[in-house]
Amino acid sequence: MTSELTANTKNEPEVLQKRKRRGKKKIRPLSLILRLLVWLSAGITFAVLIFLVAYILVRGVPYLTPSLFEWTYNSENVSMLPSIINTLIMTVLALAVSIPFGIFTAIFLVEYAKKGNKFVTVVRLTSETLSGIPSIVYGLFGMLFFVTYLDWGYSLLAGAATLAIMVLPLIMRTTEEALLAVPDSFREASFGLGAGKLRTVFKIVLPSAIPGILSGVILAIGRIVGETAALIYTAGTMATLPENVFSSTRTLSVHMYMLSGEGLNINESYATAVVLLVVVLLINWLSGVAAKRLTSSGLREQQ
Amino acid sequence: MKNVKEVVMKYVFMVAAAASILAVFLICVFLFANGVPAMREVGFFKFLFGTTWAPNNVPASYSIFPMIVGSIYVTAGAIIVGVPIGILTAVFMARFCPKGIYKFLKPAVDLLAGIPSIIYGFFGMVVIVPLVRTIFERFDTDGMSMLTASILLGIMILPTIIGVSESAIRAVPNSYYEGALALGATHERAVFFTVLPAAKSGILAGVVLGIGRAIGETMAVIMVAGNQARMPVSILKGVRTMTANIVIEMGYATGLHREVLIATGVVLFVFILIINLSFSVLKRRMKA
């Protein structure tokens, strides 16, 4: 009975089915309107996504010419290849900082900290604060701290450091959830076999949490690839390949902004948007796949 | 030896955890240290409530009230567009959606959340701006307006509102719904008049989170809002937000002008802190 009721979407509760069987189909205007409204809203949400993706694909794909992928950028070919390579380097650098910090923090919060600890409360509060800060504020901070105070200039490194702070709460939270999803019996079994805390964490808990952590990391990659506001005044807007980590660079998103802002190369802007959109959609899909693997493997293990 | 390793690693984890505290601390210190002196130089009241932003005038006038109002108007517009659609979609997903449709709708909402703001901005620029221009042609608008920005931001906050509201609606005990049915309510009435009111603090938390997103959004707004630095005159005329003000002028600003832009960031930061605080209060109330 209760299980039938909780799965109420497909299998309607018995009461409603009985009412229908009895054929009491009185027209109830309010209910009808409400039903129409929810279907309409869901339809709008879905249609907006489809329209947005389809519009950009249709307008952009025909302009994906080889000249957009030439090694060097100039105002003739407006090549996006340097920006794509910059995006890759930027992502690797930012993750190299934020993954260890994020995972270690999550390990501390889940495996080591005692409940009600003051320090833990503060860590949670600050990570919540970090996740709410808009990217432009990160950009301002990066400009003041990394670019000016540490004197790194507009550089790859300053941009990556800014982004590392920006995605830190995301990695922290997803890792924490993944660690919490590992059943306690795993830890108890490991302790029972005489393993220490550290060995248990690294050999037992972390490996079983990997799909969840991976899904968070992939989401973080998505945020980094799509970020613009935090980078304009930290990494700068040079459309060339970097010579070293102190070179000014632009990522694909910043490239897209500069291109569409100039207004001269609207077709190339569409093509760049296609590449950016496809990459981001792919990343999100991958993250979903990883997360699904976590839940299915977790269920199997618990049974 | 083994014990030493255990203890050392424990402190390594602890230090890593302290990193986020350090980050927030540094962000606060650097923003306030660079922004507050500029505010003092212009005068707090004049800076916040004066109506003229004219950095190139002699003497220059640095008052960000037009931008504060612009941010608030655009956010309010986004709420008007996004909240009804968002909440109704969440209701649909939690209580009306056939399983076959849910399989497509849920990933679609997730994708909507994943699309970068620069793509939204570009979409707004090439689709919504011309649309607004054509529809309201006789009102003499070029399409880059408060209305355009509101519509675009309304779309952008949809996934936030849907996500939080859906889980809030799902968290309502089923007995509420069953009780309403037993009293003879239809499915729709039961959902809208018993389940939805019970989920209201969770839904409100979603709306607050959406407000935070909308007020902090930068790139998409710059591309569609027109960015005229004056008091907003009409819903069909251009408007500049605090975020846009920072990005547009930071590139060439020097001296006091630059510091005033950082101070604009400080004001934005304070807005966000207040919004975050009310979000966590609401979330806590939802759990209780």
Side-chain angles (χ1 to χ4, degrees):
Chain A
M1 177 74 189
T2 39
S3 65
E4 237 174 75
L5 282 171
T6 43
N8 66 73
T9 50
K10 185 97 187 177
N11 321 315
E12 285 181 322
E14 225 171 290
V15 199
L16 287 182
Q17 286 176 1
K18 266 186 194 159
R19 276 183 210 164
K20 268 184 195 160
R21 271 203 299 276
R22 262 188 254 140
K24 266 197 189 168
K25 264 281 171 184
K26 223 164 82 177
I27 296 170
R28 298 167 191 276
L30 182 64
S31 296
L32 193 69
I33 292 170
L34 290 176
R35 177 177 294 238
L36 280 179
L37 276 179
V38 291
W39 277 87
L40 186 70
S41 300
I44 291 174
T45 306
F46 198 67
V48 163
L49 175 79
I50 299 296
F51 181 63
L52 191 153
V53 173
Y55 189 86
I56 287 180
L57 287 184
V58 168
R59 294 290 302 263
V61 170
Y63 298 101
L64 280 173
T65 52
S67 74
L68 276 176
F69 297 97
E70 273 168 25
W71 272 107
T72 46
Y73 167 95
N74 56 49
S75 49
E76 283 287 304
N77 65 12
V78 290
S79 167
M80 65 173 110
L81 192 65
S83 314
I84 293 176
I85 295 169
N86 288 338
T87 311
L88 281 177
I89 302 172
M90 187 79 82
T91 310
V92 170
L93 280 178
L95 288 180
V97 178
S98 59
I99 289 180
F101 274 102
I103 292 184
F104 280 9
T105 307
I107 290 177
F108 179 77
L109 291 179
V110 177
E111 308 289 335
Y112 284 88
K114 295 183 182 60
K115 278 222 167 89
N117 188 325
K118 273 266 162 57
F119 181 66
V120 174
T121 322
V122 178
V123 170
R124 277 186 210 285
L125 195 73
T126 49
S127 80
E128 251 175 54
T129 310
L130 278 182
S131 66
I133 295 178
S135 48
I136 180 67
V137 173
Y138 280 112
L140 274 183
F141 166 71
M143 186 188 81
L144 292 170
F145 185 65
F146 298 118
V147 175
T148 312
Y149 183 75
L150 296 181
D151 203 17
W152 291 350
Y154 286 162
S155 63
L156 197 56
L157 199 60
T162 310
L163 290 179
I165 301 177
M166 200 181 82
V167 296
L168 184 64
L170 181 66
I171 293 180
M172 207 190 291
R173 209 192 50 238
T174 43
T175 308
E176 199 185 335
E177 277 164 18
L179 292 179
L180 283 172
V182 176
D184 267 342
S185 54
F186 281 35
R187 299 183 180 89
E188 286 153 14
S190 170
F191 291 143
L193 290 170
K197 183 124 195 168
L198 206 57
R199 187 179 284 261
T200 306
V201 167
F202 277 105
K203 299 266 170 173
I204 306 294
V205 179
L206 268 186
S208 6
I210 275 184
I213 299 174
L214 204 61
S215 126
V217 169
I218 298 172
L219 273 186
I221 297 176
R223 290 252 344 240
I224 293 173
V225 171
E227 187 49 57
T228 316
L231 286 175
I232 293 181
Y233 296 116
T234 55
T237 53
M238 287 287 284
T240 49
L241 286 172
E243 279 165 23
N244 55 45
V245 288
F246 290 106
S247 311
S248 164
T249 56
R250 59 163 78 157
T251 64
L252 192 56
S253 294
V254 179
H255 179 65
M256 163 98 213
Y257 173 64
M258 303 309 282
L259 212 56
S260 60
E262 286 160 8
L264 296 170
N265 304 296
I266 193 78
N267 293 333
E268 285 76 8
S269 302
Y270 274 113
T272 311
V274 168
V275 175
L276 189 57
L277 189 63
V278 168
V279 168
V280 169
L281 293 188
L282 213 63
I283 287 171
N284 275 280
W285 175 74
L286 270 179
S287 165
V289 171
K292 211 167 277 169
R293 269 193 53 197
L294 173 76
T295 46
S296 60
S297 68
L299 280 178
R300 216 179 305 132
E301 279 149 7
Q302 270 169 344
Q303 273 163 6
Chain B
M1 185 60 211
K2 202 174 155 197
N3 266 334
V4 174
K5 205 166 140 198
E6 295 268 342
V7 172
V8 167
M9 279 313 280
K10 185 183 171 176
Y11 282 101
V12 168
F13 293 144
M14 205 159 165
V15 168
S20 68
I21 302 178
L22 181 71
V24 171
F25 176 74
L26 282 177
I27 290 175
C28 289
V29 166
F30 272 84
L31 279 182
F32 283 97
N34 284 282
V36 173
M39 280 191 213
R40 197 174 295 142
E41 201 172 328
V42 178
F44 277 105
F45 192 81
K46 183 163 181 280
F47 174 71
L48 286 177
F49 298 108
T51 54
T52 317
W53 174 265
N56 300 324
N57 282 9
V58 184
S61 167
Y62 299 110
S63 302
I64 61 163
F65 194 59
M67 276 67 94
I68 296 179
V69 176
S71 279
I72 292 175
Y73 280 0
V74 168
T75 305
I79 295 302
I80 292 171
V81 175
V83 166
I85 298 181
I87 293 179
L88 287 170
T89 305
V91 170
F92 179 80
M93 288 172 74
R95 288 284 172 177
F96 285 84
C97 193
K99 266 210 183 95
I101 296 183
Y102 192 82
K103 240 180 8 211
F104 293 100
L105 197 54
K106 183 71 183 166
V109 173
D110 288 345
L111 284 188
L112 217 46
I115 295 175
S117 51
I118 187 81
I119 299 271
Y120 277 112
F122 186 66
F123 176 75
M125 198 172 85
V126 293
V127 175
I128 306 179
V129 167
L131 199 71
V132 169
R133 193 191 302 142
T134 327
I135 294 176
F136 298 100
E137 211 174 6
R138 59 207 177 90
F139 293 105
D140 181 35
T141 171
D142 63 354
M144 299 226 181
S145 64
M146 209 191 296
L147 179 69
T148 320
S150 297
I151 295 174
L152 188 64
L153 280 178
I155 296 173
M156 290 179 71
I157 62 172
L158 273 181
T160 309
I161 292 175
I162 294 174
V164 181
S165 305
E166 192 197 343
S167 50
I169 293 168
R170 282 189 192 280
V172 174
N174 224 357
S175 52
Y176 285 44
Y177 172 73
E178 290 159 16
L181 284 192
L183 290 171
T186 59
H187 176 64
E188 290 81 7
R189 271 178 183 271
V191 169
F192 275 90
F193 298 110
T194 56
V195 177
L196 213 52
K200 71 168 181 291
S201 57
I203 293 174
L204 205 58
V207 174
V208 170
L209 204 59
I211 293 176
R213 286 283 140 76
I215 210 163
E217 181 48 52
T218 314
M219 305 321 288
V221 172
I222 289 182
M223 293 168 86
V224 299
N227 303 320
Q228 288 87 341
R230 49 144 198 253
M231 286 302 282
V233 281
S234 140
I235 190 169
L236 290 169
K237 289 281 190 289
V239 64
R240 182 186 286 196
T241 63
M242 288 187 274
T243 51
N245 197 35
I246 299 169
V247 170
I248 290 169
E249 298 196 359
M250 189 56 93
Y252 58 85
T254 50
L256 181 62
H257 184 192
R258 185 169 178 275
E259 282 169 40
V260 168
L261 291 177
I262 295 163
T264 313
V266 171
V267 175
L268 178 69
F269 188 54
V270 171
F271 266 77
I272 291 290
L273 286 184
I274 294 170
I275 290 168
N276 278 355
L277 199 70
S278 32
F279 172 69
S280 43
V281 168
L282 281 167
K283 217 170 65 178
R284 211 154 297 146
R285 201 192 295 168
M286 186 168 98
K287 271 182 196 149

